[in-house]
Amino acid sequence: MSIVINHARTRLEAGALALGMGLRQARTVDTAQIARTAGFDWLFIDCEHNSMSIDVAAQIASAALAIGVTPLVRVPSEQHWMASRLLDNGAQGIVAPHVDTAEAAARLVSHCRFPPVGHRSMGGGLQQLGFETLPIDQACEAVDRHTLLVVMIESPQGVANCDEIAAVPGIDVLLIGTTDLSMEMGIPGQFEHPRIVQAYEKVIAACHRHGKYPGMGGMYTAPLFEKYVGLGARFILAGSDFAFLMQAARDRVALLRGIEPRA
């Protein structure tokens, strides 16, 4: 069987961190190779906050799949038709934003996993199988086993319901979107606030009870990484192409501004 291994899932199952790179600016397939060379485990192809088309997202996902970087796509909330199309065209997982209830998590599973767990339609010719033809039952089982479904907890309601959300069969990761969560809590950007810490502790505990993986996003400084990885976050959105470009550009300008030209 030519199933393509989900590298991010493998890292998580081994107890290691799975590190992701967000794509906001990138539109070319060589981004996948850049991510691999840099050492990332997965791509966060963001179709919620950028203008990327489904076709571009699918092309980047295909390139990442072929070289062992797990392509995950964040779709706009409740747009499950987009999720299933991307899974049919190379993505190895879906990130659903603003999941506040177990019912919303169950709808994601219903659209993104094959029967008997969900109701995803089999389109055939799947890249995750290397386009190998398999008996339908084997194909469905293999693809589902290497698919990651990630729900984002981004509101106090989502935190309050995290135990029920984590209990939903077919969900793999509860990823806290800390920026939106802090805004919804009325403490925007206060990432070390006790309420944020308590939210992480609650979600991480729910993940442990139900065999799911806790994740973090929206916080990108060394002290914050150390703090929340120390609490138990394992699925880590490490930053975006936009942020990396800006940081490198600022560093280069600062370097050159510090060199005095000869008269």
Side-chain angles (χ1 to χ4, degrees):
M1 186 183 298
S2 301
I3 182 67
V4 178
I5 300 299
N6 188 309
H7 181 61
R9 178 184 285 281
T10 299
R11 294 278 298 173
L12 291 168
E13 290 175 347
L17 298 183
L19 304 180
M21 173 181 169
L23 301 189
R24 174 179 168 179
Q25 308 301 118
R27 296 292 188 277
T28 56
V29 297
D30 54 2
T31 304
Q33 185 67 65
I34 291 168
R36 181 181 179 183
T37 299
F40 288 103
D41 304 307
W42 53 279
L43 287 181
F44 184 86
I45 304 170
D46 190 0
C47 289
E48 181 188 20
H49 286 302
N50 71 32
S51 61
M52 182 185 296
S53 68
I54 290 180
D55 185 61
V56 169
Q59 297 298 330
I60 295 173
S62 296
L65 186 73
I67 63 170
V69 176
T70 299
L72 307 179
V73 182
R74 176 163 70 175
V75 300
S77 187
E78 298 292 338
Q79 292 195 11
H80 300 305
W81 58 270
M82 181 185 288
S84 60
R85 287 182 68 188
L86 286 160
L87 289 172
D88 284 346
N89 288 278
Q92 277 188 304
I94 296 297
V95 181
H98 313 294
V99 174
D100 292 330
T101 65
E103 291 75 17
R107 285 194 295 273
L108 177 70
V109 172
S110 177
H111 287 84
C112 295
R113 293 207 183 277
F114 294 114
V117 178
H119 301 282
R120 178 182 168 190
S121 175
M122 171 58 79
L126 294 175
Q127 296 178 56
Q128 296 91 336
L129 297 173
F131 295 116
E132 184 177 349
T133 300
L134 296 175
I136 292 176
D137 59 340
Q138 293 181 33
C140 291
E141 190 280 330
V143 171
D144 267 352
R145 178 160 33 93
H146 290 281
T147 296
L148 274 177
L149 293 188
V150 180
V151 293
M152 295 194 69
I153 306 298
E154 302 185 272
S155 72
Q157 183 185 8
V159 174
N161 293 330
C162 68
D163 196 74
E164 293 84 356
I165 293 170
V168 174
I171 294 298
D172 298 296
V173 177
L174 275 65
L175 170 62
I176 297 179
T178 323
T179 299
D180 281 354
L181 178 61
S182 70
M183 292 193 295
E184 293 279 352
M185 286 181 164
I187 49 173
Q190 298 182 45
F191 297 137
E192 295 189 88
H193 194 284
R195 292 173 63 198
I196 297 293
V197 175
Q198 290 165 8
Y200 267 85
E201 290 173 339
K202 184 177 178 66
V203 171
I204 289 167
C207 288
H208 288 169
R209 278 192 296 274
H210 297 286
K212 307 300 167 66
Y213 301 105
M216 66 176 286
M219 301 185 291
Y220 305 112
T221 66
L224 290 170
F225 281 133
E226 291 174 3
K227 182 181 185 69
Y228 290 103
V229 170
L231 286 178
R234 293 293 177 266
F235 183 82
I236 312 298
L237 181 56
S240 70
D241 54 358
F242 172 76
F244 299 149
L245 174 63
M246 289 296 295
Q247 184 61 56
R250 288 190 181 108
D251 289 347
R252 183 58 53 88
V253 169
L255 170 66
L256 289 169
R257 294 298 184 200
I259 299 173
E260 290 294 332
R262 291 185 178 182

